């Protein structure tokens, strides 16, 4: 049985903990069966930054996102080669527990995926329930409140915690999904087109939530909406046919892209 690597702590000058939330990708390749979908990816993503991944459909954006928390490998026939570091830890090291990685790197999917048979309260605390982690009710209450506040939805649901997700709008459900991801105190949140199915008002609220969360977390968002990438992200990664074509500060990429392919995509010549 492998001895799973535990999270290392590093301290700031006052003795407080520092999150190991910088991600570094080295020579990453990924396949679905015999079809290669990621080709020699090398990128570094800064801590407490919002990084947007853009590119046409089928270019590998979501696959790259799923590689960051070891979800890709659970797809039948899928394979990953290369290295991804979360701080000092190679998350694909054979001694690393993937469950631990998924706690540290949370994910919010394209559509809200709350458990319909659980109350709003239990959905937020689901990470503890499903892992049979016993914590006092008072502590659970604090976790639920803190997570919903971070997700920007506490005031809308504080008196509705015993209701079920079906009572919420799509935008509210998505923010509860964000709260659920936050409840286990990750250092990184991955978001796969989190607003693509939402109305403009809900989209605005989630974008504001994302910008607030940057104070605490590293955020990586996949989006087809280039205006959204421009609004919320600090840096942007442009992908095409499984490769990273360009990465850089968002403002710079959208106003003065270095690569012709990037310019053509941003100006709508394809995609």
């Amino acid at each position: 049985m492998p001895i799973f690597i535990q999270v290392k702590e590093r301290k700031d000058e006052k003795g407080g903990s520092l999150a190991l939330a910088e991600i570094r990708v080295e020579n990453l390749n990924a396949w679905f069966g015999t079809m290669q979908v990621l080709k020699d990816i090398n990128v570094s993503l800064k801590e407490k930054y919002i990084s947007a991944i853009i590119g046409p459909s089928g270019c590998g954006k979501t696959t790259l996102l799923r590689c960051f928390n070891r979800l890709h490998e659970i797809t039948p026939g899928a394979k990953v080669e290369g290295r991804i570091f979360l701080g000092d830890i190679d998350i694909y090291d054979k001694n690393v527990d993937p469950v631990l990685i998924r706690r540290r790197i949370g994910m919010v999917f394209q559509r809200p995926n709350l458990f319909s048979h659980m109350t709003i309260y239990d959905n937020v605390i689901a990470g503890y329930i499903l892992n049979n982690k016993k914590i006092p009710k008072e502590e659970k209450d604090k976790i639920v409140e803190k997570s919903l506040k971070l997700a920007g939805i506490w005031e809308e649901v504080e008196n509705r915690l015993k209701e079920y997700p079906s009572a919420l709008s799509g935008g509210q459900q998505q923010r509860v999904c964000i709260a659920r991801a936050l409840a286990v105190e990750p250092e990184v949140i991955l978001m796969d087109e989190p607003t693509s199915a939402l109305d403009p008002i809900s989209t605005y609220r989630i974008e504001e939530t994302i910008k607030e969360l940057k104070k605490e977390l590293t955020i990586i968002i996949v989006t087809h909406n280039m205006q959204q990438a421009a609004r919320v992200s600090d840096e942007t990664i442009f992908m095409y046919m499984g490769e990273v074509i360009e990465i850089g500060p968002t403002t710079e990429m959208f106003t003065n892209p270095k690569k012709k392919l990037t310019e053509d995509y941003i100006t709508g010549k394809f995609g």
Side-chain angles (χ1 to χ4, degrees), residues 3-8 20 22-29 67-70 73 80-102 104-105:
I3 300 171
F4 293 137
I5 292 172
Q6 296 301 308
V7 179
K8 296 179 184 176
L20 295 168
E22 190 171 278
I23 291 179
R24 189 171 79 256
V25 183
E26 296 182 356
N27 305 316
L28 185 73
N29 295 277
C67 285
F68 285 143
N69 70 343
R70 297 193 55 171
E73 68 199 66
V80 179
E81 289 181 357
R83 305 173 81 187
I84 297 178
F85 289 89
L86 174 59
D88 301 325
I89 295 173
D90 178 357
I91 70 169
Y92 282 94
D93 186 287
K94 64 181 180 180
N95 292 320
V96 168
D97 182 359
V99 174
L100 175 62
I101 294 303
R102 292 176 197 129
R104 296 185 65 193
I105 306 178

Side-chain angles (χ1 to χ4, degrees), residues 86-195:
L86 174 59
D88 301 325
I89 295 173
D90 178 357
I91 70 169
Y92 282 94
D93 186 287
K94 64 181 180 180
N95 292 320
V96 168
D97 182 359
V99 174
L100 175 62
I101 294 303
R102 292 176 197 129
R103 287 178 192 157
R104 296 185 65 193
I105 306 178
M107 188 153 183
V108 176
F109 296 90
Q110 186 171 4
R111 294 183 181 276
N113 62 341
L114 295 173
F115 299 111
S116 60
H117 65 289
M118 287 184 173
T119 64
I120 294 167
Y121 181 101
D122 284 344
N123 263 284
V124 176
I125 210 77
Y128 296 86
I129 295 171
L130 297 175
N131 286 289
N132 295 313
K133 187 172 181 180
K134 307 295 183 184
I135 55 176
K137 175 68 163 60
E138 184 179 334
E139 187 178 343
K140 283 184 183 179
D141 292 346
K142 289 179 181 178
I143 292 169
V144 169
E145 181 175 346
K146 178 183 177 183
S147 302
L148 289 168
K149 282 181 175 177
L150 283 171
I153 194 172
W154 171 250
E155 292 181 358
E156 295 171 49
V157 300
E158 62 177 310
N159 297 315
R160 305 174 64 187
L161 297 178
K162 293 182 179 179
E163 295 181 22
Y164 291 88
S166 58
L168 302 177
S169 70
Q172 288 173 323
Q173 289 185 35
Q174 191 67 304
R175 280 182 285 154
V176 173
C177 286
I178 294 171
R180 182 177 64 190
L182 294 171
V184 294
E185 299 186 328
E187 292 139 59
V188 181
I189 290 285
L190 311 174
M191 296 186 170
D192 189 7
E193 301 214 41
T195 64

